[in-house]
């Protein structure tokens, strides 16, 4: 036999494959460990939303990175398929299948909206039976430069011309100094309540429809409501601003600017961020339970729920408040949506929900720089 011919090492004549290099063995080992960690974290993120944060410590923070975990799981599954490591590929594919049912909370294909357009007409026009709802955290009417954004917010609302406006962190003291905003507010029926603080942290509902009655849940700074007469129907609109995450602008800069890479005190800072996030998650969960009880007491009245929840779609807060309602993004959104201008533009924490009496015709976030949040604009149609 010639010196360079293929060798056979068993009686069946099977060729011996080339042994993997030491480098590839090391890469496979590292990616195997990474795959196991990502698998556990993704499944934990999917499950933890069903558990009160009081009992889960830092685990709700996984909801912040859930989309990246899913994307990383997809990349790893493809890697193991290419490497022909079928057991590991099957494990990662299983995680993809389990997580697939939550994908629509973060991303919707263009085909979904195209089908919705086709259902109505070629131009996707909106008749008079559709109502336009705007939810917007205006950050006390201050822009990024620390200057008043009241005129800019008023100009934006004039441009989109919504029927119902739910404002969070509305500051009447600064609003009253803007002639343009005051003129706009007077065109609507205004619902707001006094607070013990110096008018800093209010919610407001502006409605072109008649307000039958109004009130608040827990505190005016957390959730207010208004019963609106929309044609022949009474619709309960609830506007919320739930407890902050406790992650400050400095924390956001610290994380997104990768400053922790050179910080010797990063462990202490991370511990502080996680602790504040956990404590505030517990408060939000309690608020969500109270608001959920309020909504359940209204059944079967038509409902529209708006606001800044300060929590992601994979959270206990979202799950509690979304129960029995339709998320406008999941119904009519497209692509990947975020509503917070920070944390890599990855967080959707502002929502518009509606009961089954409404069909969602459109959903969009408008890219304007007047606040650290983006406004959420939704069109709803009463189902006859």
């Amino acid at each position: 036999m010639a010196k360079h011919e293929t060798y056979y090492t068993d009686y069946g004549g099977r060729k011996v494959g080339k042994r993997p290099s030491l480098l590839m063995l090391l890469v496979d080992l590292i990616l195997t460990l990474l795959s196991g960690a990502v698998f556990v974290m993704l499944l934990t993120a999917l499950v933890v939303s069903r558990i009160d944060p009081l009992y889960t410590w830092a685990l709700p923070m996984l909801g912040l990175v859930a989309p990246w975990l899913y994307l990383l799981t997809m990349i790893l599954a493809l890697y193991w398929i290419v490497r022909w490591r079928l057991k590991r590929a099957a494990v990662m594919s299983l995680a993809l299948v389990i997580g697939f049912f939550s994908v629509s909370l973060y991303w919707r294909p263009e085909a979904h909206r195209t089908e919705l357009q086709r259902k109505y007409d070629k131009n996707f026009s909106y008749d008079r039976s559709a109502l336009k709802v705007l939810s917007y955290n205006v950050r006390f009417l201050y822009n990024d430069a620390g200057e008043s954004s009241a005129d800019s917010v008023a100009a934006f609302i004039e441009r989109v011309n919504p029927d119902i406006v739910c404002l969070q962190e509305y500051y009447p003291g600064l609003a009253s100094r803007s002639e343009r905003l005051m003129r706009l507010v007077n065109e609507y029926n205004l619902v707001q309540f006094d607070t013990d603080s110096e008018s800093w942290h209010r919610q407001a509902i502006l409605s072109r429809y008649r307000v039958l009655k109004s009130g608040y849940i827990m505190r005016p700074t957390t959730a207010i409501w208004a019963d609106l007469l929309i044609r022949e129907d009474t619709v309960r609109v609830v506007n919320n601003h739930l407890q902050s995450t406790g992650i400050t602008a400095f924390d956001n800069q610290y994380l997104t600017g990768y400053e922790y890479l050179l910080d010797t005190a990063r462990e202490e800072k991370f511990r502080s961020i996680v602790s504040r996030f956990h404590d505030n998650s517990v408060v939000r969960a309690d608020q969500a339970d109270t608001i959920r009880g309020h909504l359940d007491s209204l059944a079967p009245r038509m409902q529209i729920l708006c606001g800044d929840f300060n929590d992601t779609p994979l959270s206990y807060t979202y799950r509690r408040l979304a129960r029995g309602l339709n998320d406008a993004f999941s119904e009519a959104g497209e692509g990947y949506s975020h509503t917070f201008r920070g944390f890599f533009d990855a967080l959707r924490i502002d929502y518009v929900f509606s009961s089954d009496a409404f069909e969602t015709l459109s959903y969009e976030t408008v890219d304007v720089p007047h606040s650290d949040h983006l406004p959420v604009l939704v069109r709803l149609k009463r189902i006859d």
Side-chain angles (χ1 to χ4, degrees), residues 3 19 29 39 46 50 53 87-88 108 131 187 190 196 213 235-236 250 261 329 356 384:
K3 183 177 180 180
R19 292 174 64 88
L29 175 61
F39 179 86
L46 296 173
R50 300 177 178 275
K87 290 183 179 179
R88 278 165 276 193
R108 296 294 290 171
L131 59 123
E187 294 175 3
L190 172 65
D196 296 332
K213 57 183 179 178
V235 179
R236 173 69 55 93
F250 296 106
L261 294 177
F329 172 75
D356 289 337
D384 297 325

Side-chain angles (χ1 to χ4, degrees), residues 75-91:
I75 294 172
L76 289 168
L78 291 174
Y79 174 83
W80 293 124
I81 291 173
V82 171
R83 292 281 292 139
W84 206 243
R85 302 294 189 266
L86 298 186
K87 290 183 179 179
R88 278 165 276 193
V91 170

Side-chain angles (χ1 to χ4, degrees), residues 199-255:
S199 302
W200 265 93
H201 193 209
R202 289 191 188 179
Q203 317 323 318
I205 298 174
L206 309 178
S207 171
R208 295 200 183 279
Y209 302 104
R210 178 184 170 191
V211 178
L212 299 178
K213 57 183 179 178
S214 61
Y216 60 86
I217 307 169
M218 294 177 288
R219 302 175 299 167
T221 55
T222 301
I224 66 174
W225 59 267
D227 280 345
L228 308 182
L229 183 61
I230 302 179
R231 299 173 185 87
E232 300 83 20
D233 300 314
T234 299
V235 179
R236 173 69 55 93
V237 176
V238 181
N239 181 23
N240 309 275
H241 182 269
L242 303 189
Q243 181 75 13
S244 169
T245 60
I247 299 177
T248 67
F250 296 106
D251 296 329
N252 180 63
Q253 181 180 348
Y254 181 75
L255 295 171

Side-chain angles (χ1 to χ4, degrees), residues 5 38 115 267 289 316 325 372:
E5 286 182 9
V38 170
E115 181 61 30
E267 183 178 346
D289 287 340
Y316 178 87
L325 299 173
D372 55 346

Side-chain angles (χ1 to χ4, degrees), residues 237-286:
V237 176
V238 181
N239 181 23
N240 309 275
H241 182 269
L242 303 189
Q243 181 75 13
S244 169
T245 60
I247 299 177
T248 67
F250 296 106
D251 296 329
N252 180 63
Q253 181 180 348
Y254 181 75
L255 295 171
T256 59
Y258 303 104
E259 296 178 9
Y260 55 85
L261 294 177
L262 301 175
D263 186 4
T264 57
R266 57 179 172 268
E267 183 178 346
E268 182 179 347
K269 290 184 179 179
F270 279 137
R271 192 159 45 238
S272 172
I273 291 172
V274 170
S275 178
R276 280 181 276 128
F277 186 89
H278 168 260
D279 292 344
N280 286 290
S281 294
V282 172
V283 175
R284 279 196 306 278
D286 184 63

Side-chain angles (χ1 to χ4, degrees), residues 4 24 103 164 179 183 187 295 301-303 313 340 363 371:
H4 298 293
M24 285 307 301
V103 168
I164 301 171
E179 181 179 342
R183 184 171 63 250
E187 294 175 3
L295 296 173
R301 185 179 305 181
M302 290 184 288
Q303 304 168 18
F340 182 69
Y363 170 97
S371 170

Side-chain angles (χ1 to χ4, degrees), residues 22 26 42 67 89 106 134 137 185-186 200 220 242 247 343 380:
L22 183 61
L26 180 61
L42 179 61
Y106 292 91
L134 174 70
N137 182 322
V185 168
N186 289 333
W200 265 93
L242 303 189
I247 299 177
F343 202 75
L380 302 173

